[in-house]
Amino acid sequence: MNYSVFVKIVVLLCCGATALVQAAEPLSRDEIETAINAAYAAYKDLQEGANADYIPALAKVNPALYGIALVTPDGAVYSAGDVKSEVSIQSISKVFTMALVMDEKGPASISGNMGVDATGQVFNSIVAVEQHQGAEMNPLVNAGAITATSMVSGGTREEIWSKILNYYNAFAGRALRVNEEVFASEAATNQRNQAIAKLMYAYGHIKGNPDQATDIYTEQCSVSVNARDLAIMAATLANGGRNPVTGVQAMKNENVPEVLAVMATAGLYDDSGKWLYLTGLPAKSGVGGGIIAVSPGRFGIAVISPPLDAAGNSVRAQKAIAAISNALNGNPYEVEPAM
Ligand code: GLU
């Protein structure tokens, strides 16, 4: 063996050893089950928060509904509580429509249109739109989300809608359906979103029909999901865009980091910074009471519990996800020094 081959072998061995030191230990079934069951029990009787009621149908959802599901990249599904009852996906849908637009048109189509920054304002703020004429927003607040929906290509409303729903289905691994009562309830009361869409049209961010964009956006928010569906959708993001249960590549692998970055920046409304500080996890909440969170390469997790705090995030879901992730070392920023 000549000297340079010897040096290469030594370098390879050292790099391999470092990689071994830095790679997180795989999670055992026991550890995961213990963490989920403990969090379920700890917050089951918590009586804080209230259902969203600005969409009338959401006020009627059972506030006691509480389910936790966690999915690992090998496709194992763990759960506690009610993971069968469904709620409307609401703002969690924004993540997947953003991913669809990135897949169709590239991530620059998002950053270059509505932006990828936190607005510092509430999710349906008109002041935030006015401040920068619809730029410097992000696809997880309503103005950016309705704009993202308007960017999905298709000749007819039906074509656009079925593309969006099929895209969500690939993440969930089953055919999802719309909760027609929630759709009708929000469609009858979404004048503010209609106004936001018209402003985004006026400022040139929405190119097509703003009323159609708002209508499709409202329908996407009414897609019905349970905690298991949401956890598989989150785990697909944790697994480089491939659904770990079905094996289907639901989105382009190269766009996953940008999707997670926007979730980290703006996933939990005005409390996104506090959430990231607490957990390090890209996440997204919806006013239906669901939250998804992603520990890249480790797990996707979802909790559904309708009562929300003042920022609009499910009280139990935040507590349960933070506790479980903490127990499983899910924070991607936690790294042991190499030496
Ligand atoms: N459809 C809801 C709205 O536009 C989504 C809100 C949310 O979940 O944050 O108001």
Side-chain angles (χ1 to χ4, degrees), residues 6 32 35 81 92 110 121 132 146 183 188 198-199 207 219 236 266 283 291 304 311 314 325:
F6 173 73
I32 298 174
I92 300 171
I110 293 284
Q121 303 282 348
H132 299 286
I146 299 168
F183 182 28
K198 293 229 168 60
L199 280 176
K207 311 272 189 256
E219 189 163 11
T236 300
I291 299 185
I304 291 178
S314 164
S325 178

Side-chain angles (χ1 to χ4, degrees), residues 13-330:
L13 285 174
C14 290
C15 292
T18 309
L20 277 180
V21 169
Q22 290 192 340
E25 290 289 313
L27 297 164
S28 76
R29 174 165 275 278
D30 251 21
E31 279 180 288
I32 298 174
E33 281 170 354
T34 306
I36 290 180
N37 291 335
Y40 180 75
Y43 305 115
K44 191 171 179 318
D45 298 322
L46 188 72
Q47 304 287 337
E48 274 176 39
N51 283 25
D53 58 5
Y54 75 101
I55 299 171
L58 299 186
K60 297 199 284 181
V61 177
N62 177 9
L65 197 175
Y66 177 35
I68 302 176
L70 182 149
V71 180
T72 45
D74 61 1
V77 180
Y78 302 83
S79 63
D82 183 349
V83 295
K84 290 215 173 105
S85 295
E86 298 181 4
V87 296
S88 52
I89 190 168
Q90 296 298 337
S91 273
I92 300 171
S93 69
K94 294 168 177 170
V95 170
F96 302 97
T97 299
M98 159 173 68
L100 170 55
V101 174
M102 285 185 183
D103 277 1
E104 279 199 332
K105 302 193 158 90
S109 68
I110 293 284
S111 54
N113 189 355
M114 74 290 279
V116 287
D117 262 326
T119 64
Q121 303 282 348
V122 292
F123 70 98
N124 59 0
S125 171
I126 286 174
V127 170
V129 177
E130 284 299 297
Q131 197 174 12
H132 299 286
Q133 303 205 323
E136 302 292 323
M137 316 274 303
N138 68 72
L140 298 184
V141 294
N142 287 11
I146 299 168
T147 304
T149 302
S150 80
M151 292 167 74
V152 175
S153 67
T156 61
R157 189 203 185 282
E158 289 68 38
E159 200 184 316
I160 296 166
W161 171 246
S162 76
K163 185 187 282 181
I164 291 173
L165 188 60
N166 284 330
Y167 194 78
Y168 293 6
N169 289 346
F171 281 87
R174 73 175 181 109
L176 301 171
R177 48 166 212 94
V178 170
N179 181 326
E180 297 294 344
E181 189 195 348
V182 171
F183 182 28
S185 178
E186 184 168 351
T189 53
N190 68 353
Q191 291 75 19
R192 188 183 179 93
N193 284 343
Q194 294 174 33
I196 287 172
K198 293 229 168 60
L199 280 176
M200 292 303 275
Y201 177 79
Y203 292 134
H205 302 283
I206 292 180
K207 311 272 189 256
N209 177 343
D211 290 331
Q212 175 173 292
T214 310
D215 187 46
I216 298 176
Y217 162 81
T218 306
E219 189 163 11
Q220 80 178 42
C221 288
S222 310
V223 167
S224 195
V225 285
N226 59 37
R228 187 176 190 277
D229 296 325
L230 288 177
I232 296 173
M233 295 172 95
T236 300
L237 294 170
N239 189 40
R242 179 166 303 170
N243 184 318
V245 175
T246 64
V248 168
Q249 190 71 37
M251 70 173 290
K252 288 184 183 164
N253 174 255
E254 70 257 32
N255 295 331
V256 174
E258 282 87 345
V259 169
L260 295 180
V262 183
M263 290 169 72
T265 306
L268 262 71
Y269 307 114
D270 293 356
D271 281 350
S272 299
K274 283 183 206 144
W275 172 260
L276 195 66
Y277 186 81
L278 184 69
T279 65
L281 299 181
K284 183 72 199 92
S285 64
V287 292
I291 299 185
I292 61 169
V294 177
S295 180
R298 303 213 86 198
F299 58 81
I301 184 168
V303 177
I304 291 178
S305 168
L308 311 177
D309 66 11
N313 300 307
S314 164
V315 178
R316 282 200 196 104
Q318 290 176 85
K319 290 188 188 291
I321 293 174
I324 293 165
S325 178
N326 193 27
L328 301 179
N329 300 318

